[in-house]
Amino acid sequence: MTSPPPFDISLGLSGTHVLITGGLGLIGHVVVYAFLAAGSKVTVIDLATSSPFAADTPNLLVLHGSISDGPLLDSLFTQAEEKYGPVHCCVALASLDLSVLPQTESLADADPEIWRRVFDVNLNGTFLTAQRWLRGIRSLPAAPMSRNVSLILIGSEAGSFGVRTMPAYAAAKSAVQVGLLRSLAGDVPRVYTGARVNCVAPGAVNTARLAVESREYGEEWRWREVEATVPLARPVPPEDVARTILFLASERYSGSVHGQVISVDSGKNGTVAWGLGEAAAHQVT
């Protein structure tokens, strides 16, 4: 009986050029460390100027700029390509998150300028990132085939369940993980054979910021966010988000996964509509 060939369980990401927008953030920098550990060459594009990485970190290029500035983004991609070659894998992680956005009790009180700003960064910036990545892979040689050619979008639990106090964020994330993703799923393999696009939709992630918010907003707020409708009753470790992104980046592991949203949210299945005693105060008598 012939023995089966050895099964290679490595990710196969060594040498792959990965560009990560928002790679200096609380989740982003963990994703960067994960790709560096996998042997990838990593370019980070971020608005932030302070970096958790040493200036001489091997295989890492950090560039500064906004994803919503198309000409600047194009220039930053070009710098990355000049340094490490074509961007095979792009992780579109940069966005304005809920912790930096003003919340209102009702859409009736929302500022239209905030709505436009959220869409400009979270949706239009993601579109510009995807577009520039596609233009880059269009020039890849057809043979031999490049590996790990993929785009990974970042959605959110908010894109599925909404956010009553910040609907702009929920609407933009929903547009990314539904309309944009499904459109790109038909487009991307036409631009380069075998190229893939998928989306990771995290729930509340256990960052230092979540700890601060839990102290600031109190026990009931944390219960609503990470326990009430979350079967695992805990926030998501950022490393779990990073590992899911690596899985999707690896053609060896996820080469037949395309056009999918993977929820990394500890099983979240909804939102709390009313707190204890809260509905009674809104009843019309």
Side-chain angles (χ1 to χ4, degrees):
M1 185 175 181
T2 304
S3 299
F7 194 90
D8 189 347
I9 62 171
S10 67
L11 288 165
L13 290 170
S14 181
T16 296
H17 184 191
V18 182
L19 185 145
I20 304 169
T21 66
L24 301 183
L26 293 172
I27 299 172
H29 82 280
V30 179
V31 177
V32 171
Y33 277 126
F35 274 107
L36 290 175
S40 301
K41 298 176 181 178
V42 180
T43 297
V44 169
I45 295 177
D46 202 302
L47 267 178
T49 54
S50 60
S51 171
F53 307 105
D56 58 352
T57 300
N59 297 321
L60 177 64
L61 173 66
V62 177
L63 303 172
H64 302 287
S66 169
I67 61 170
S68 59
D69 183 335
L72 176 58
L73 186 65
D74 176 61
S75 172
L76 296 176
F77 260 82
T78 299
Q79 291 180 55
E81 291 160 343
E82 290 172 349
K83 176 74 172 180
Y84 292 135
V87 176
H88 290 92
C89 177
C90 179
V91 182
L93 197 152
S95 70
L96 298 170
D97 67 34
L98 285 171
S99 66
V100 301
L101 294 171
Q103 314 278 308
T104 58
E105 185 61 24
S106 168
L107 178 68
D109 307 312
D111 183 347
E113 287 302 318
I114 297 296
W115 180 279
R116 280 189 280 269
R117 180 169 175 250
V118 171
F119 267 72
D120 186 43
V121 175
N122 292 13
L123 181 55
N124 189 48
T126 301
F127 151 71
L128 291 171
T129 301
Q131 182 182 62
R132 181 55 179 83
W133 171 77
L134 276 171
R135 289 173 175 172
I137 68 168
R138 182 181 277 165
S139 62
L140 290 174
M145 294 290 290
S146 297
R147 297 191 62 79
N148 303 319
V149 182
S150 69
L151 171 65
I152 302 165
L153 306 175
I154 306 299
S156 169
E157 64 178 23
S160 298
F161 304 117
V163 181
R164 179 180 61 80
T165 57
M166 177 37 72
Y169 179 82
K173 285 298 185 180
S174 183
V176 166
Q177 67 196 52
V178 181
L180 182 59
L181 173 66
R182 292 178 181 174
S183 300
L184 285 170
D187 182 22
V188 166
R190 290 173 176 262
V191 175
Y192 189 81
T193 302
R196 299 175 298 115
V197 57
N198 291 287
C199 181
V200 175
V205 180
N206 195 23
T207 63
R209 184 177 293 145
L210 180 68
V212 170
E213 290 173 333
S214 297
R215 290 193 297 269
E216 181 178 350
Y217 301 131
E219 184 177 344
E220 183 179 352
W221 178 88
R222 184 179 175 85
W223 168 78
R224 286 172 178 259
E225 290 294 314
V226 301
E227 295 180 13
T229 63
V230 181
L232 293 183
R234 61 173 174 80
V236 176
E239 293 80 8
D240 286 3
V241 178
R243 291 187 182 100
T244 303
I245 291 172
L246 258 66
F247 163 76
L248 290 174
S250 170
E251 188 172 317
R252 181 170 289 165
Y253 271 76
S254 63
S256 296
V257 180
H258 177 63
Q260 303 302 307
V261 179
I262 298 184
S263 297
V264 186
D265 57 10
S266 295
K268 188 178 180 73
N269 54 36
T271 57
V272 177
W274 301 100
L276 182 63
E278 190 178 13
H282 289 76
Q283 297 300 315
V284 176
T285 58

